Amino acid sequence: MALTRSLACGDGRVPSVRAERMARAVFAALGGIVEIGAVRSTGTWLLPDVSVEAFLQPRQGDLRCLVEGVRAVGRFSDEVMAIADELGYFRDHEVPAASLLLWSEGITGVPEPPERLEEPALVRRMCRIGADLQLTRLLQALVTAALDAGTESGEGVARIAEILRVACGLVEPGRAGITPADVHRMWRVAHLPAILRPASDAPDWGKAGYRAYDAELERLLQGERSGVVRPCV
């Protein structure tokens, strides 16, 4: 999926190297979301019980919704979209404790002996932390890609809200837990201050773009708990 636009082309796409970098940021966050969701779906917090294939098989509609949403927001080409297959997060694979440690940024620390990372209590904690981190990073990656692709906030926000809705459902399967509105608030405090502070080296057009997306996301998602964002069909 190409999230960028090329100033040398009239097709609305960005140079492939930059697009690929942005796509990898999006798919890395989605990879963490899928793996965490697969762990949570077991109900046991035991890593040997995890099957990514079993988790994703009944959720193919959600995956298609994610893929098409990302393609539209970032204006990604087929070539760049193929990065998702290259990374392999959407097909069956093992989910080791080291992956959960990565998605949760090591906030829990590494116990002694390291094998204790597989204990259900630590697995559960890494999943909770990782879910917040990866959803927030997904939103940052999506907004950044949309701005670089020239996708205006009025056009991109509805798609991004839909992606977030699906991602929240994947990372907390079967639960009415974190919502897109929650993710937006976490993103705003985690990422926007560094971008929008006076000393930031972000260009003025970029700052204006992030502010516009923030305002539009707030407008759309403030009623999220009442079901304002419609499901993907």
Side-chain angles (χ1 to χ4, degrees), residues 29-30 33 65-66 69-70 73 131 134-143 156-172 178-187 217 220-221 224 229:
L30 285 174
I33 287 164
C65 189
L66 283 177
V70 170
V73 168
Q134 298 312 315
L135 286 168
T136 305
R137 288 184 174 176
L138 173 62
L139 179 51
Q140 173 65 9
L142 288 169
V143 173
V157 159
R159 282 282 197 176
I160 289 176
E162 188 174 278
I163 292 168
L164 291 179
R165 182 194 61 78
V166 175
C168 287
L170 287 174
V171 84
E172 292 192 334
I178 190 169
T179 70
D182 298 327
V183 179
H184 168 241
R185 287 193 297 271
M186 289 191 293
W187 166 75
L217 284 165
L220 181 62
L221 297 177
E224 168 66 9
V229 180

Side-chain angles (χ1 to χ4, degrees), residues 125-149:
R125 186 159 185 253
M126 288 189 290
C127 283
R128 285 199 304 263
I129 296 168
D132 290 347
L133 278 168
Q134 298 312 315
L135 286 168
T136 305
R137 288 184 174 176
L138 173 62
L139 179 51
Q140 173 65 9
L142 288 169
V143 173
T144 300
L147 290 174
D148 203 59

